[in-house]
Amino acid sequence: MTARDRIVLLVVAAAAVLAGFWFLVLTPKRDDGKELDAKVAAAETRLQAAQASASAAQDAKQRYDRDYATVARLGKAVPVDDDVPSLVYQLESVSKHNKVDFRSIKLDSSSTPTAAAGAAGATAGSASTAGAALPPGATVGAAGFPTMPFSFAFDGSFFRLEDFVRDLDRLTSVRGDDSIDVKGRLLTIDGIALQAGPKGFPQVSASMSATAYLLPADEGLADGATATAPGAATATATPNTSAAQSFRSDR
Amino acid sequence: MKAVNLIPGDVRPGAGGAAGKSGGAAYAVLGALALIVAMFALYTKTNASLDDKTAKVATLEQQASAAETQATSLASYTKFAALRTKRVATVKQLAGGRFDWAHALHELARVLPPNVWLTDLTGTTSPEARVEGGASSASGVRSALPVPAIEITGCTTSQSSVAKMMARMRLIDGVQRVTLIDAQKSNSAGGGPADAAAGGSGSGCNASPQFPTFHLVVFFEQQASAVAAAPGQTGPTPAAATTPGTTPGTTPGTTTGAAPTSTTPTATTATGASPSTPATTGVTK
């Protein structure tokens, strides 16, 4: 065996050892490393989600008092029950304020839910409330949102009536800063019919069809929560990205 | 003269060539050692990296578990916050998507020509909406567009005044179309149906058989925000008129006329009787 042969043999042996080390020892370790990288990424994602949930939950806990007040105040605009006495009182109050004669209120049990009710149901997403313990006369909207259609009749001046309708809308209204001003029942006026009064225009007899809204029966006003603590939670924690809202109650 | 090295070949300096005396075995051993050291270093480094990653995974999972535990313990608060957000969104959508009837009536009073008398006015947010005592949509004109509209019945002094009335209606904030259903003069001096609706006040069309009675429908534009606020909704949505801020209203009959603008009279069908919605309960004076 010449010296050149020995050198070649050594180089081949070294290459074989190196290849064996690479493929038999190092490659499995590198595969383990890739798996661990994936686990680290998954764990980081899980941690971020958990931290976001925890942060949202902490924020929710800190502003629970305000949230509860908001929900309670919204119950004035959209009550759990039909709350017709309060509605009649508010209509009478607004009509007196605008010098309009509040003639009648009727519950239209045969009316179909309006488009507005359907749209609201899309947001409410409470299809499970369909037919569940609704007050007599209430109907369930396209997506399960309870509504109550009413007909009202008023006598008065055209311009007084205009003010009356404006005040009716202002019982619950969205203000310029995107907050909700809750003074009374939320009503959607679906139609207005004006007919000339005995003395002709601007004295008119007005009929209105309007929709009042109810909270989903399976939720109630606060879904089991009290002023001091929320009800038992069954849903998993999710991040809350809602913007802060402010409410004001003047009446 | 040629130099001759007389020292024996195996004792000369550098004997054995590059391999030296050992025949290259020393280099081979050194190379093997270097290789072993390099492989050991690589192995150690890889192992250390794996250990680091394993520890990091454990730490992250521990932190995530702690955060999840905290979130779970406060889940009831999160759920209530979600309920509040949903309620606010629903009420805002309902309140913000309403049609601004007050503004529409205000605008109507603002643009009404002085020689026009209204006897009946019915506004609905959609063709499906019904108002007790309101005008009928029997002509089908109202149902042509699923947007808020006002059906107006009245009378004026001439057919050209009807055209002027239509042009004025186009000036109402948020109007997209004004459609004439009919405009006809009464055959009798006693006036038409509009006079009856006016209660025979003497200020209606019975002043002259030459005064035409008209029926028209004023269609408003669909409010973009109302459509956007109802994702997935397939039906019509009540729209609101655009932002108020026009000139102050005046009493009907005090606004001066304007040059006619483009209007779109499309139908000349007579209106029918007004339907009434059955009521089950109520309080009536």
Side-chain angles (χ1 to χ4, degrees):
Chain A
M1 184 179 289
T2 64
R4 185 179 65 93
D5 292 342
R6 284 198 298 271
I7 291 171
V8 169
L9 197 61
L10 284 172
V11 168
V12 168
V17 169
L18 196 60
F21 172 76
W22 184 267
F23 288 110
L24 298 178
V25 178
L26 214 54
T27 299
K29 292 286 183 187
R30 288 166 60 87
D31 290 342
D32 290 348
K34 286 178 183 174
E35 285 181 16
L36 283 173
D37 283 341
K39 283 185 180 177
V40 168
E44 283 176 344
T45 305
R46 181 186 162 198
L47 176 62
Q48 286 174 357
Q51 284 176 336
S53 294
S55 175
Q58 200 63 41
D59 289 345
K61 184 182 180 183
Q62 285 177 354
R63 62 165 195 272
Y64 176 74
D65 291 347
R66 280 175 290 154
D67 283 354
Y68 187 83
T70 297
V71 169
R73 200 164 291 140
L74 282 179
K76 194 175 178 180
V78 184
V80 179
D81 205 351
D82 52 1
D83 203 10
V84 173
S86 170
L87 176 64
V88 172
Y89 178 80
Q90 289 171 24
L91 288 170
E92 178 70 13
S93 176
V94 174
S95 60
K96 270 187 178 176
H97 179 260
N98 290 287
K99 296 183 172 57
V100 171
D101 187 14
F102 176 26
R103 302 293 300 175
S104 71
I105 174 174
K106 291 178 183 175
L107 175 62
D108 293 339
S109 62
S110 61
S111 295
T112 55
T114 62
T123 298
S126 301
S128 60
T129 63
L134 290 177
T139 56
V140 180
F145 199 79
T147 62
M148 291 192 75
F150 286 100
S151 288
F152 310 129
F154 303 93
D155 284 348
S157 155
F158 178 91
F159 301 101
R160 294 287 188 186
L161 203 73
E162 177 190 319
D163 294 336
F164 169 77
V165 171
R166 182 175 289 112
D167 284 352
L168 215 55
D169 276 352
R170 284 177 180 168
L171 287 177
T172 301
S173 58
V174 180
R175 289 189 290 182
D177 59 354
D178 210 30
S179 61
I180 303 176
D181 189 9
V182 179
K183 298 174 185 171
R185 195 73 175 264
L186 172 66
L187 290 171
T188 298
I189 299 174
D190 303 314
I192 295 179
L194 303 182
Q195 291 181 323
K199 297 178 182 177
F201 271 100
Q203 289 298 319
V204 294
S205 295
S207 299
M208 291 183 197
S209 64
T211 302
Y213 301 91
L214 309 179
L215 289 173
D218 60 347
E219 286 183 2
L221 177 62
D223 200 15
T226 63
T228 54
T234 53
T236 55
T238 52
N240 187 346
T241 57
S242 65
Q245 302 289 333
S246 65
F247 289 85
R248 184 166 63 92
S249 180
D250 293 341
R251 287 184 190 178
Chain B
M1 181 179 289
K2 185 180 178 183
V4 177
N5 192 347
L6 297 177
I7 300 172
D10 55 344
V11 295
R12 290 177 190 166
K21 290 179 183 176
S22 63
Y27 289 124
V29 170
L30 285 175
L33 282 174
L35 190 64
I36 288 170
V37 168
M39 287 192 300
F40 183 75
L42 201 58
Y43 180 79
T44 306
K45 186 182 176 187
T46 305
N47 262 350
S49 174
L50 290 180
D51 291 345
D52 286 347
K53 287 174 183 175
T54 305
K56 189 175 181 182
V57 168
T59 305
L60 288 173
E61 287 185 342
Q62 190 179 4
Q63 290 174 345
S65 296
E68 284 170 352
T69 303
Q70 184 187 8
T72 304
S73 67
L74 300 174
S76 55
Y77 290 97
T78 308
K79 185 186 175 192
F80 189 79
L83 173 74
R84 173 248 188 218
T85 303
K86 191 178 75 174
R87 292 268 172 87
V88 169
T90 303
V91 173
K92 278 177 72 175
Q93 181 186 341
L94 288 170
R98 291 179 296 189
F99 182 73
D100 193 349
W101 285 113
H103 183 59
L105 295 176
H106 173 85
E107 286 286 286
L108 178 68
R110 185 178 67 86
V111 303
L112 202 65
N115 58 345
V116 170
W117 301 267
L118 299 187
T119 55
D120 191 84
L121 183 151
T122 302
T124 48
T125 54
S126 69
E128 294 80 23
R130 293 286 178 268
V131 190
E132 190 173 352
S136 168
S137 297
S139 66
V141 174
R142 170 64 187 94
S143 58
L145 292 175
V147 295
I150 296 178
E151 298 169 72
I152 297 173
T153 303
C155 44
T156 183
T157 53
S158 66
Q159 296 288 15
S160 62
S161 295
V162 175
K164 183 181 288 185
M165 166 72 177
M166 293 182 67
R168 296 288 297 176
M169 291 296 105
R170 291 294 299 247
L171 299 178
I172 291 177
D173 198 10
V175 165
Q176 64 160 301
R177 185 179 291 268
V178 178
T179 300
L180 180 68
I181 298 175
D182 64 18
Q184 56 187 350
K185 294 178 180 177
S186 173
N187 292 327
S188 63
D195 299 320
S201 63
S203 59
C205 301
N206 58 354
S208 168
Q210 293 302 309
F211 286 0
T213 302
F214 64 83
H215 300 83
L216 56 85
V217 183
V218 179
F219 292 100
F220 289 82
E221 290 172 351
Q222 186 79 294
Q223 190 186 22
S225 63
V227 177
Q233 182 191 356
T234 55
T237 306
T242 49
T243 308
T246 53
T247 54
T250 56
T251 55
T254 59
T255 309
T256 55
T261 56
S262 60
T263 53
T264 53
T266 57
T268 55
T269 312
T271 56
S274 301
S276 61
T277 308
T280 54
T281 60
V283 179
T284 309
K285 284 185 180 176

